[in-house]
Amino acid sequence: QVQLVESGGGLVHAGDSLELSCQASGFSLENLAIGWFRQAPGKERESVACLSASDDSRFDGDSMKGRVSISKDRGKNTVYLRMNRLKPEDTAIYVCATELYLQSCAPHDFRLGTWGRGTQVTVSS
């Protein structure tokens, strides 16, 4: 079964760090662009970070610029999102997605790819 499964979310305090995982099954993440996105209640989905298929280009969305890093572990077929200095406004469901080619780090450019179901991150003040 082709799927992406996110994990690592939870309740943290403002200022804390958190690492999310996105594990693929049924297919390889090799040579695929990866994106992390988030959506808070009542808000549109927004970009958090993206990694190009060749792993040589990384993009941070405006929402968490300078506070995130994205990486890939080929052996575990998993992509990670490290988030630092978390704020209450970072509270959202975080979702990963794959696409054949990274046109931009915008959700609509991943609309035809594979999406996970997301993991909830809640940041208390």
Side-chain angles (χ1 to χ4, degrees):
Q1 182 178 5
V2 173
Q3 62 177 356
L4 293 171
V5 178
E6 302 90 341
S7 62
L11 174 63
V12 297
H13 297 291
D16 286 351
S17 297
L18 195 64
E19 184 174 78
L20 305 182
S21 301
C22 171
Q23 184 169 34
S25 60
F27 70 104
S28 173
L29 291 175
E30 192 74 22
N31 297 320
L32 287 177
I34 309 294
W36 278 98
F37 307 93
R38 71 182 188 183
Q39 188 164 18
K43 295 187 177 181
E44 292 187 356
R45 182 173 289 173
E46 60 182 1
S47 307
V48 177
C50 293
L51 181 64
S52 65
S54 57
D55 297 353
D56 60 356
S57 296
R58 291 171 170 77
F59 301 90
D60 293 350
D62 291 338
S63 61
M64 298 188 75
K65 191 175 290 292
R67 297 188 291 127
V68 296
S69 63
I70 184 172
S71 60
K72 181 192 293 183
D73 185 327
R74 290 181 174 80
K76 295 182 179 180
N77 207 29
T78 299
V79 175
Y80 301 95
L81 180 71
R82 176 74 177 181
M83 306 183 291
N84 301 311
R85 304 189 302 279
L86 285 163
K87 305 174 183 179
E89 52 263 45
D90 295 323
T91 295
I93 295 175
Y94 286 73
V95 186
C96 63
T98 63
E99 184 52 271
L100 291 176
Y101 174 68
L102 184 64
Q103 291 183 297
S104 78
C105 193
H108 72 263
D109 280 333
F110 284 75
R111 65 190 183 281
L112 299 179
T114 300
W115 288 76
R117 291 190 174 186
T119 184
Q120 175 71 46
V121 173
T122 303
V123 185
S124 64
S125 58

